[in-house]
DNA sequence: ATTAGCACTCTCGATATGAGAGTGCTAAAA
DNA sequence: TTTTAGCACTCTCATATCGAGAGTGCTAAT
């Protein structure tokens, strides 16, 4: 294990590098962090730390920068808990004081605040409906042959889907079918609504067999989809171009295309996050080589203990971990609170 | 007016510059575009064209590049109509063959195709509900004190809004209120639902006066909002970094922040577009100085002659205007068609 | 065990240089 | 009168050179 002095030096390097993005030299540390030992001694320690894998040197005779392992050590053992400033707190509160329209908007706003406060890119996966309960089902006729299937869940999420209806179906037929669906589906969780279960509806109403066939098919497909895939929002990807890490346009381009690939980002967030805790994934710890130079910090939000969605911050490995963690902590608390009173 | 030879030269310069992003010299034109006149003659003509404001010189003794006026002339008089390739046609058809879930998804997909095919950034304002008719209103109880107001329009768009309900309201109260709302609102256009009109509902049901008060307020607010503001989608902003215009990170950063500002982009699209035609706005023709170096091509989509939304492509003034116009034309046709059968 | 001293390494910014592309002008050719 | 060849000139851009500066590792002294 590292001795006390090595730890102090490692901490100084990580902190300084996060702040300046410049490789940190022995002289800087001695002067700026008042270690009480000479640069030469620090140099020796730094050589040790490099050998142990905590530091790296961009090129011979430059200062040192933290390696992924260095950041990991910092994150696990050294990172301070920072208090948010009054300004930051106000900004968070402001969002959650506004009256909400839809769940989705609240979540989108949340993503925006996180990005504003951290200056990194924020990504959020909206409500996943796994454990939600059906509140209401409605089938409406829009025009000849076209209808709209509407499903409402107890989280206030509304799914809808344009469907084809047999032209001879009357309004009262539709009402009967709607009622039947409601009888079968209301208060069931999305997970409980299996194709098998739905087969029973068909036997209830043989007369509409054909209409029900497609209807049920569409409904199941739609629910299946919403189980896993909440909508994805990303905010503040342009902010990243402020960091020296992206002064090279090629790198900026790669990062932005990555963010635009929603499916990929969903997989990343899902893989990275663990329920009810903040997880930090640093550089090469990510199993995707495209993310080798990024760190991802994720957490989830929930209501009544049920996991609803995931959000995360992505930035260069030289990330202000402690600030991001504080902000995520605070925002999650507010969001969970808002959700539980909202619903 | 320009004589024939000047026009030929101007065209050559615009075409070449759009393709290469390099200032075009007299020699290049003589060789590549086989004018049958010598570079010296071309030089004289180019000097004239510059004096007339159609060309500009990035610096003394570089080649010429088109000015905004030059592009404008090209767009108005010289631009060829290009046929789409089979590949491009297929890509467009593929999108519109898929079964649609919601109107919004179709629109989002459309935006994505446009960006894919043009390689520029595509922006789209989703359905504005001005002239849509209310199909159905539903008020559901989600939990104690919380409810959900759902409004369905004849375009299959579903608005929803979480609301507070008096705790003592029973389910049958809600049904009565829902029915009342439906009686008053169904088949009305969004524009027709004014606060005055809604006052009459209250007089119908004095017993629920307080509940109705907030309910009506929320409903009107929600409709008001949806009249103007469809959701905004942007696709392919990262693509822009491929253009040499953005090799400077600072410029890339500015562009991306611009795109992220949805409100601004909505204003731009609305100001730029004219109903039922493709409009092209070049560089300084845009009244916003932030857009001085960009061109915007917009058009709108509609169903049954009613304007539903706007979409546009934004890119550097050195834009492949004819290609973008062809693609927008084709996509609008397909989209309008899809919308009319969808609804 | 620590540190001063020093030679050495590497980057980075400034400066110089030359090739290349292109122009405008003049004078000759058509 | 119009076109063109020729040429001197301008400006950019890529490359090379150079020195300052920052930082290191090693050695020897403390």
């Amino acid at each position: 294990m590292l001795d006390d002095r090595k730890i102090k030096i490692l901490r100084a390097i990580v902190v300084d590098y996060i702040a300046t993005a410049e490789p940190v030299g022995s002289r800087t540390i001695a002067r700026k962090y008042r270690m009480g030992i000479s640069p030469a001694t620090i140099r020796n320690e730094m050589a040790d730390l490099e050998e142990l894998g905590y530091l790296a040197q961009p090129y011979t005779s430059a200062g040192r920068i933290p390696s992924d392992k260095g950041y990991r050590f910092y994150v696990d053992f050294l990172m301070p808990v920072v208090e948010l400033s009054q300004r930051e707190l106000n900004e968070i509160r402001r969002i959650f004081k506004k009256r909400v329209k839809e769940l989705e908007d609240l979540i989108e706003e949340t993503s925006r605040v996180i990005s504003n406060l951290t200056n990194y890119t924020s990504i959020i996966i909206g409500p996943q409906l796994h454990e939600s309960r059906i509140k209401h089902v409605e089938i409406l006729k829009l025009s000849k042959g076209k209808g709209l299937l509407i499903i409402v869940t107890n989280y206030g999420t509304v799914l809808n889907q344009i469907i084809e209806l047999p032209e001879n179906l009357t309004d009262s037929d539709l009402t009967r079918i709607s009622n039947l669906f409601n009888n079968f589906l209301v208060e069931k969780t999305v997970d409980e609504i299996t194709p098998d279960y739905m087969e029973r509806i068909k036997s209830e109403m043989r007369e509409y067999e054909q209409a029900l066939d497609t209807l049920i098919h569409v409904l199941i497909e739609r629910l299946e989809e919403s189980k896993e895939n909440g909508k994805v929002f990303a905010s503040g990807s342009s902010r990243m171009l402020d960091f020296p890490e992206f002064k090279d346009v090629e790198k900026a381009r790669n990062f932005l295309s990555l963010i635009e690939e929603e499916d990929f980002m969903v997989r990343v967030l899902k893989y990275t996050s663990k329920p009810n805790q903040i997880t930090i994934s640093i550089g090469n710890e990510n199993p995707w080589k495209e993310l080798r130079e990024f760190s991802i910090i994720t957490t989830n939000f929930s209501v009544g203990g049920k996991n609803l969605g995931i959000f995360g911050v992505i930035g260069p490995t030289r990330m202000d971990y402690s600030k991001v963690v504080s902000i995520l902590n605070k925002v999650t608390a507010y969001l969970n609170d808002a959700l539980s009173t909202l619903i």
Side-chain angles (χ1 to χ4, degrees), chain A residues 95-96 98-113 124 126-127 155-157 231 233 235 301 335 338-339 342:
Chain A
I95 296 303
F96 292 105
K98 280 201 284 192
R99 185 141 56 86
V100 240
K101 296 185 304 196
E102 305 182 18
L103 194 54
E104 250 177 35
D105 294 315
L106 179 62
I107 284 166
E108 197 175 345
E109 276 292 312
T110 304
S111 168
R112 212 159 278 154
V113 190
I124 195 157
Y155 296 147
T157 306
K231 285 202 179 153
F233 300 106
S235 321
F301 54 97
L335 179 59
L339 288 175
L342 185 69

Side-chain angles (χ1 to χ4, degrees), chain A residues 281-299:
Chain A
S281 188
I282 300 167
N284 275 304
E285 295 173 5
N286 294 304
W288 291 274
K289 66 176 184 318
E290 300 93 318
L291 298 175
R292 220 176 329 129
E293 302 188 335
F294 301 104
S295 285
I296 299 166
I297 306 187
T298 59
T299 186

Side-chain angles (χ1 to χ4, degrees), chain A residues 9-103:
Chain A
I9 291 174
L10 177 57
R11 175 194 286 124
I13 292 177
V14 172
V15 168
D16 204 75
Y17 187 65
I18 285 178
T20 65
E22 300 285 337
V24 190
S26 53
R27 192 95 129 277
T28 316
I29 298 181
R31 245 201 323 240
K32 217 157 139 188
Y33 296 86
R34 317 216 125 271
M35 293 263 147
I37 46 179
S38 78
T41 313
I42 294 177
R43 278 204 286 286
N44 288 328
E45 296 285 38
M46 281 176 16
D48 289 353
L49 282 168
E50 179 167 0
E51 207 168 335
L52 292 167
Y54 293 98
L55 295 179
Q57 224 171 353
Y59 49 86
T60 355
S61 64
R64 300 302 207 294
I65 64 176
S67 65
D68 290 351
K69 187 174 172 187
Y71 285 122
R72 171 52 62 196
F73 190 88
Y74 173 78
V75 160
D76 286 345
F77 303 115
L78 308 179
M79 193 167 67
V81 175
V82 301
E83 296 291 322
L84 300 192
S85 73
Q86 207 54 42
R87 210 206 91 249
E88 293 169 320
L89 281 174
N90 285 340
E91 183 137 352
I92 296 176
R93 288 208 196 95
R94 200 170 48 79
I95 296 303
F96 292 105
K97 256 197 300 209
K98 280 201 284 192
R99 185 141 56 86
V100 240
K101 296 185 304 196
E102 305 182 18
L103 194 54

Side-chain angles (χ1 to χ4, degrees), chain A residues 135-153:
Chain A
K135 265 289 175 188
H136 186 72
V137 178
E138 183 95 27
I139 303 166
L140 290 174
K141 207 164 161 180
L142 286 181
S143 62
K144 216 193 294 300
K146 296 286 170 180
L148 190 69
L149 169 68
I150 302 174
I151 305 168
V152 186
T153 74

Side-chain angles (χ1 to χ4, degrees), chain A residues 69-205:
Chain A
K69 187 174 172 187
Y71 285 122
R72 171 52 62 196
F73 190 88
Y74 173 78
V75 160
D76 286 345
F77 303 115
L78 308 179
M79 193 167 67
V81 175
V82 301
E83 296 291 322
L84 300 192
S85 73
Q86 207 54 42
R87 210 206 91 249
E88 293 169 320
L89 281 174
N90 285 340
E91 183 137 352
I92 296 176
R93 288 208 196 95
R94 200 170 48 79
I95 296 303
F96 292 105
K97 256 197 300 209
K98 280 201 284 192
R99 185 141 56 86
V100 240
K101 296 185 304 196
E102 305 182 18
L103 194 54
E104 250 177 35
D105 294 315
L106 179 62
I107 284 166
E108 197 175 345
E109 276 292 312
T110 304
S111 168
R112 212 159 278 154
V113 190
I114 293 175
S115 171
N116 278 343
L117 293 181
T118 60
N119 280 314
Y120 300 106
T121 300
S122 145
I123 299 180
I124 195 157
I125 307 184
Q128 302 165 283
L129 299 182
H130 258 300
E131 309 184 81
S132 60
R133 286 178 190 282
I134 305 289
K135 265 289 175 188
H136 186 72
V137 178
E138 183 95 27
I139 303 166
L140 290 174
K141 207 164 161 180
L142 286 181
S143 62
K144 216 193 294 300
K146 296 286 170 180
L148 190 69
L149 169 68
I150 302 174
I151 305 168
V152 186
T153 74
N154 62 332
Y155 296 147
T157 306
V158 180
L159 303 175
N160 63 86
Q161 159 96 43
I162 292 170
I163 49 176
E164 315 237 336
L165 290 175
E167 302 209 0
N168 54 5
L169 228 54
T170 65
D171 280 351
S172 72
D173 288 340
L174 271 185
T175 314
R176 286 184 62 200
I177 296 179
S178 282
N179 286 339
L180 181 69
F181 270 73
N182 275 301
N183 286 339
F184 269 81
L185 300 179
V186 168
E187 290 306 321
K188 290 270 175 297
T189 70
V190 171
D191 279 339
E192 285 165 2
I193 300 168
T194 59
D196 276 357
Y197 180 75
M198 295 303 290
E199 277 303 310
R200 287 173 49 198
I201 290 191
K202 261 194 276 182
S203 56
E204 291 278 318
M205 273 209 198

